[in-house]
Amino acid sequence: MDIDKLLANINYSNFTHRIDKLKLVAPEKSPLFPSMELRSLREDEIVALERQGNISADWKSIQVTGNFKPDRVWQNHFIGCVVLGHYSGKNLPDRTGGGSLPTGIYRSTIEDSHIGDNCAVHNCPGIYRTLVVRDSLISNSNTGLLLDGNQGILYGNGVSIPVGVETGGREIALYSDLSMELAEYVLRHPADTAIQSAYREHLAEYLERIRFTWTIIDKHSRILDTKSITNTYIGPYSIILGADQIQNSSVFSTRDDPTLISNSSVVRNCL
């Protein structure tokens, strides 16, 4: 099989299709609520939010879904453009055996972020430039971007690793949907300029495809006592418990096979 056939037969992952879908949303809409018309806060909602200890330098920069209610939003600092969904107050189990927390946003700083329906955000010093997708729980953790968001981030894609260093060393740049067959083919032909050029071109196209401007906490995730998550995609149903740092990475996870990262872990430039 030649390089063209290998590239044509790539089976793109849920991650890639997820980014595709989020990027299709019009700029005036929220990636979390693509079919909903967002609205500004009403005056009575602003009064209620201020009464509950929330502050914002510009309440007009906050948009909400039509069924938003302020009763589950207490003692937060909102900065920049923020989008809020509906929070019923139901308890979300932390899935670690440690209990549950009610949906809503409590004692946190939210900056230029979108918080989806029935998420629970508690005691978070900084949620910056983050999409928190529905039914996720974040407690005592920080998320955001390290780089200028306008440059976009790659979630760990495009990082090169050495292979077979004991025999002279070769490198290959990884990406989320790289198959073993394609990787082996590229590595076995290091001197073939046509193969190497085709792979570099394919990789560049893929990186532009998934380049985006948000850290993403996907649905039903649990982020607890984690010091820093930046430039990262956290897949659905992930459990991040007590990690020190997750940076420029993609964490793939499913309901049937959830990923757990815990115990002062440091994860950088990983897929």
Side-chain angles (χ1 to χ4, degrees):
M1 184 174 290
D2 61 25
I3 186 70
D4 293 330
K5 289 182 179 179
L6 286 169
L7 294 176
N9 290 332
I10 291 172
N11 183 22
Y12 288 104
S13 64
N14 289 335
F15 161 76
T16 302
H17 292 304
R18 183 70 164 130
I19 299 298
D20 285 343
K21 187 175 180 180
L22 291 170
K23 290 179 70 173
L24 282 174
V25 178
E28 66 273 13
K29 292 184 176 291
S30 167
L32 300 189
F33 307 103
S35 62
M36 287 190 178
E37 291 296 329
L38 301 174
R39 62 174 178 83
S40 300
L41 289 165
R42 300 191 306 266
E43 187 60 33
D44 64 300
E45 291 172 330
I46 295 174
V47 171
L49 288 168
E50 291 181 332
R51 187 186 304 122
Q52 291 161 198
N54 300 284
I55 59 174
S56 173
D58 181 12
W59 289 109
K60 293 180 181 178
S61 66
I62 298 176
Q63 292 188 298
V64 297
T65 58
N67 56 354
F68 169 80
K69 294 181 180 179
D71 55 336
R72 300 292 176 179
V73 181
W74 289 77
Q75 298 179 333
N76 303 290
H77 187 186
F78 295 106
I79 303 171
C81 297
V82 173
V83 173
L84 305 177
H86 171 70
Y87 313 111
S88 68
K90 72 176 182 179
N91 286 339
L92 293 184
D94 65 17
R95 293 171 40 219
T96 67
S100 61
L101 289 169
T103 62
I105 308 172
Y106 306 86
R107 298 173 297 280
S108 299
T109 298
I110 312 295
E111 182 174 358
D112 291 327
S113 295
H114 299 195
I115 312 298
D117 286 341
N118 276 327
C119 288
V121 180
H122 289 250
N123 304 309
C124 291
I127 303 294
Y128 169 63
R129 195 65 188 175
T130 301
L131 300 177
V132 185
V133 186
R134 64 179 177 86
D135 298 292
S136 291
L137 186 157
I138 307 180
S139 175
N140 193 32
S141 301
N142 296 280
T143 69
L145 294 186
L146 288 177
L147 305 176
D148 180 357
N150 293 326
Q151 297 176 5
I153 56 176
L154 299 174
Y155 308 103
N157 291 274
V159 174
S160 294
I161 63 168
V163 179
V165 292
E166 67 278 1
T167 59
R170 291 162 290 175
E171 284 196 351
I172 186 168
L174 304 181
Y175 69 99
S176 298
D177 299 327
L178 176 63
S179 67
M180 183 64 71
E181 188 177 15
L182 176 58
E184 289 178 352
Y185 190 87
V186 172
L187 288 167
R188 285 174 180 172
H189 300 85
D192 191 315
T193 55
I195 290 174
Q196 297 301 318
S197 176
Y199 182 72
R200 286 194 298 270
E201 182 178 345
H202 164 73
L203 178 65
E205 291 174 354
Y206 180 83
L207 295 182
E208 285 308 307
R209 177 176 177 177
I210 58 92
R211 188 186 301 274
F212 204 26
T213 55
W214 300 90
T215 280
I216 302 169
I217 311 298
D218 218 331
K219 63 183 181 181
H220 296 280
S221 292
R222 300 294 185 263
I223 315 295
L224 306 169
D225 303 319
T226 294
K227 293 180 181 178
S228 176
I229 298 176
T230 53
N231 297 26
T232 289
Y233 171 79
I234 302 293
Y237 296 92
S238 295
I239 301 174
I240 315 297
L241 177 61
D244 272 1
Q245 183 184 61
I246 304 177
Q247 179 181 321
N248 188 38
S249 296
S250 291
V251 178
F252 305 125
S253 178
T254 66
R255 181 174 184 173
D256 294 331
D257 190 17
T259 296
L260 170 65
I261 299 175
S262 63
N263 299 330
S264 302
S265 297
V266 174
V267 179
R268 299 191 189 109
N269 307 321
C270 290
L271 300 173

